[in-house]
Amino acid sequence: MLEGNGKARKGLILYKSKYGATKKYASWLQEETDFDCIETKRATIKDVAKYDSIILCGGLYASGIAGISFLKKHFSVLRYKKLAVFCVGASPFDQKAFEQVRAHNFKEELQSIPLFYGRGAWHEEAMSFKDRMLCGMLRKAVAKKDPSTFEPWMTALMGAVGQVCDWTDKNELAPLIAYIKAETAL
């Protein structure tokens, strides 16, 4: 994975996508940056370490970012790389929830990694049995609350029930692309 002159390659997009929205963002990001792109399950630290910049794209599931474990596991090797994370969730952006996701996923050495967000998709029929059950339990718990007290994610959840929704938007990548360009002089 080295260029002909023996230098490290410019950038790599690692992604972990369960239902396709994160993969779509990773593909769009690849188009915009010309970075290489690979699923985290196919990535080896030996190959990833050959890149100058590494962007992890991962879906949000119960506040956890899919694929973040790769960065945690290999941070000692990646710590001097230009790193960023783009997470994808079904809820509209909410600063408070975003800060909670950051606090939950970026402990200790990961705290300095920039985090970006894009809205994903919702399609219950495409979900695994386990995910449908968890979403159903969450929906039942939220339904017991007074709608006037709903947080943005609760409103989004209740509005998406029974619907097929795709909120992915290439424009959501703009802040990340600006960051990449500033860091890598694309």
Side-chain angles (χ1 to χ4, degrees):
M1 294 216 150
L2 291 178
E3 293 179 348
N5 60 12
K7 291 184 179 178
R9 289 186 167 189
K10 191 180 256 184
L12 176 68
I13 301 159
L14 287 171
Y15 73 92
K16 187 165 185 179
S17 185
K18 205 169 188 181
Y19 299 112
T22 302
K23 183 177 182 179
K24 186 188 287 189
Y25 278 112
S27 295
W28 285 336
L29 189 56
Q30 183 180 28
E31 289 172 11
E32 294 295 319
T33 62
D34 204 29
F35 283 7
D36 290 337
C37 189
I38 188 169
E39 287 182 273
T40 54
K41 68 181 177 185
R42 297 174 192 229
T44 66
I45 189 57
K46 181 180 175 188
D47 289 334
V48 172
K50 295 176 184 176
Y51 289 87
D52 295 328
S53 299
I54 297 134
I55 311 300
L56 171 70
C57 296
L60 275 174
Y61 304 101
S63 299
I65 300 171
I68 198 81
S69 59
F70 187 94
L71 291 184
K72 289 177 181 176
K73 180 179 179 182
H74 301 292
F75 191 75
S76 63
V77 174
L78 301 174
R79 74 176 27 205
Y80 299 109
K81 305 291 183 177
K82 296 170 190 134
L83 303 172
V85 174
F86 185 83
C87 61
V88 179
S91 297
F93 180 82
D94 175 67
Q95 188 64 40
K96 180 181 172 188
F98 183 75
E99 290 169 10
Q100 290 171 342
V101 167
R102 174 173 257 306
H104 178 75
N105 291 276
F106 292 78
K107 295 179 176 27
E108 300 165 13
E109 67 270 356
L110 300 184
Q111 288 180 350
S112 65
I113 298 173
L115 177 63
F116 301 87
Y117 181 81
R119 194 163 184 202
W122 178 271
H123 186 197
E124 289 175 70
E125 290 181 17
M127 290 180 189
S128 68
F129 176 76
K130 179 182 175 184
D131 286 348
R132 276 195 314 276
M133 294 301 293
L134 290 171
C135 287
M137 290 184 336
L138 184 59
R139 182 177 61 241
K140 286 179 183 177
V142 171
K144 293 177 183 177
K145 296 180 178 282
D146 176 355
S148 68
T149 66
F150 282 4
E151 293 181 38
W153 70 267
M154 294 174 179
T155 303
L157 172 68
M158 299 308 284
V161 171
Q163 306 291 318
V164 175
C165 305
D166 184 349
W167 303 288
T168 57
D169 181 352
K170 194 173 185 177
N171 293 321
E172 298 281 353
L173 291 168
L176 174 57
I177 291 168
Y179 170 79
I180 293 168
K181 287 181 178 181
E183 291 294 312
T184 62
L186 283 176

